[in-house]
Amino acid sequence: MITVQEYLREHGCDEDLGRLISLIADQADPIRGAFIANQSYATTLNSSGEVQAELDAWADDHLIRVMKGSGLVSRIASEEQDEVVECPGSCSDYTVVMDPLDGSSLIAVNLAVGSIFGIYKGPILQKGRNLAAALYLLYGPMTTLTLSIGSGVATFALADDGRFLLMEDGIRMPEGSIYGSGGTRPEWTGKHTAFITSIEDGGGKVRYSGSFVADFHQILKYGGLYAYPASRGRPEGKLRLVFEAQPIGFLAMQAGGRISDGFTDILDILPTDVHQKIPIYVGSRGLIERLESMEE
Ligand code: AFP
C-alpha cells in the first residue's frame, strides 16, 4: 500500500510542497470530526454574500491556523475571507487558495461535501495552468484525497490509522453522459439550454447533488459534464474562479478532461479579483469542445 507521502516522494515532489500537501491531508480527520458538533448556520455572510454555516467558519479558522503555524505557506486566500491572509516568517513562497468546505448546506442531510485547495508558487492571481498542485478532500462514505502535482491525478482513501492510501493512480476521465447543471431552466441562456438538451437527446443521465466536489468526482471517474452556467440574472455564474474553478479545472486537465467558461479554457484566464465568479463547464474533453463550437 502506497501512502500519499510515498507517492509524493516517488513523483519527485518538491520537499516543502510535499510537506504542505501532507499537512492539508492531515486536516481531513479533524474537519469531518467537526461535522456533528457544528451544524447550525451562523449569522455571518461570506465575501460572496452567502450565509455561512458554522462549519464553514470553523473549517476556515482551523485550516488558516494550522497553515499559518506551519511556516510552509506565505499567503492564504480563502472563499470565507474578505482579505488575503499573509503568513509572515514562512520558509517557502507558496500560496494556498481554498474553499474550506464546499457544499456545507448538505451536511445537515448527510450528503457528501468537500474541501478544495490550489497551491501556487508565488502570488495569488495567476492562471490556473500555473498551479503547482491541486487537491480536494471528499467526505463521503469514504474520505478521499484527489491530488495532482502536475503528473496526472491520483486518489487516496483515509484508512483507520490516519494514513491516506493510494486507491488509483493515472486517473483518466472517459467520455461519458452523466451531467448536472446548476441554476434553473427558465434562467438559463439559449446556448446553455441547447447544449443541455443535446446531452439529454444523446441519452444523458442527470446526477447533481449540489456539492461541486462530489459532483465533479463522479465526472472524473465516469465522464460527462458538471456545469454552473451564466444565467440571465447572474451572468457571472455562481462559482468562484480562484477557489473552485482553477483547482478543479487543473485536476480535470491532468486527467485528460477540460474546463471552460463556455468559450475559452478557464485555465488560461488571469484572475483580476480573488473573489471573482465565472460560469463553469467541466468534464469530458469531447463535450466541452462541442459546447465551445456552438453558436451563442
Ligand atoms: P457552498 O460552498 O456555499 O456550500 O456552495 C456550494 C456550491 O458553490 C457548489 O458546491 C455547488 O455545486 C453549488 O454551490 C450548488 O449551488 P445550487 O444550490 O444553486 O445548485
Side-chain angles (χ1 to χ4, degrees), residues 50 99 102-104 208 210-212 226 228 238-240 244:
E50 296 157 344
D99 182 352
D102 183 68
S104 53
Y208 182 86
S211 158
F212 185 31
Y226 170 93
Y228 211 109
K238 178 184 178 191
L239 302 197
R240 296 84 178 162
E244 291 167 314

Side-chain angles (χ1 to χ4, degrees), residues 171-190:
I171 297 174
R172 302 304 292 170
M173 185 190 290
E175 288 298 321
S177 56
I178 289 174
Y179 75 97
S181 173
T184 57
R185 205 169 264 263
E187 279 283 297
W188 288 350
T189 63

Side-chain angles (χ1 to χ4, degrees), residues 65-66 101 123 195-196 253:
R65 187 169 40 75
V66 168
L101 212 46
F195 181 50
I196 296 296
M253 177 268 285

Side-chain angles (χ1 to χ4, degrees), residues 12-73:
C13 185
D14 170 83
E15 209 172 305
D16 281 344
L17 180 59
R19 285 167 62 206
L20 177 52
I21 291 169
S22 269
L23 182 77
I24 292 172
D26 285 346
Q27 307 321 310
D29 200 39
I31 290 175
R32 70 176 186 168
F35 287 170
I36 292 179
N38 299 282
Q39 287 203 19
S40 56
Y41 278 83
T43 49
T44 46
L45 298 180
N46 71 12
S47 303
S48 299
E50 296 157 344
V51 180
Q52 288 176 309
E54 268 183 28
L55 265 167
D56 287 314
W58 186 90
D60 186 50
D61 287 349
H62 175 77
L63 286 164
I64 289 175
R65 187 169 40 75
V66 168
M67 286 195 274
K68 246 183 145 173
S70 73
L72 293 166
V73 183

